[in-house]
Amino acid sequence: MTAQDLPGANSPDSATSFKIPNMDCRNEQAAIRARLGEIPGVESLAFDLPQRRLTIVHTLATVQPLLDALTGIGMKASLEVNPDADTSSSCGTSCAS
């Protein structure tokens, strides 16, 4: 899969979430904010430090520049494909109610 194929690519206004296990303090948040703020097309950042999640609203054609920027400052970021999925049920959406 290429960056072009990743969720969040080719949308006029996309929200892309990343799981960043080594993002756990305000200093890392500040470093991420400073680095991603340099990228044209990044519109907003939402940090969830307890869950170590970063959601970026952007207009980029691909998420690769975001991944490159995060890894470039030492963050071990991975794309969260479906951050809002309900994982409380062991059988998911295939169960009949």
Side-chain angles (χ1 to χ4, degrees):
M1 180 177 346
T2 67
Q4 261 327 77
D5 299 325
L6 295 174
N10 300 320
S11 297
D13 217 21
S14 297
T16 304
S17 293
F18 295 93
K19 194 75 167 165
I20 309 175
N22 61 328
M23 177 185 73
D24 58 7
C25 72
R26 299 275 180 204
N27 291 336
E28 290 154 345
Q29 179 179 338
I32 291 168
R33 191 175 297 282
R35 178 62 187 100
L36 294 180
E38 298 172 351
I39 300 174
V42 172
E43 296 185 352
S44 68
L45 306 173
F47 292 86
D48 182 348
L49 289 178
Q51 296 300 316
R52 297 190 170 137
R53 177 181 296 134
L54 169 63
T55 302
I56 306 168
V57 176
H58 62 89
T59 59
L60 302 174
T62 175
V63 299
Q64 194 61 51
L66 303 173
L67 281 169
D68 291 345
L70 290 167
T71 57
I73 58 171
M75 295 293 108
K76 297 175 180 155
S78 61
L79 190 65
E80 245 185 358
V81 176
N82 193 0
D84 296 323
D86 181 7
T87 57
S88 60
S89 174
S90 62
C91 62
T93 58
S94 62
C95 292
S97 302

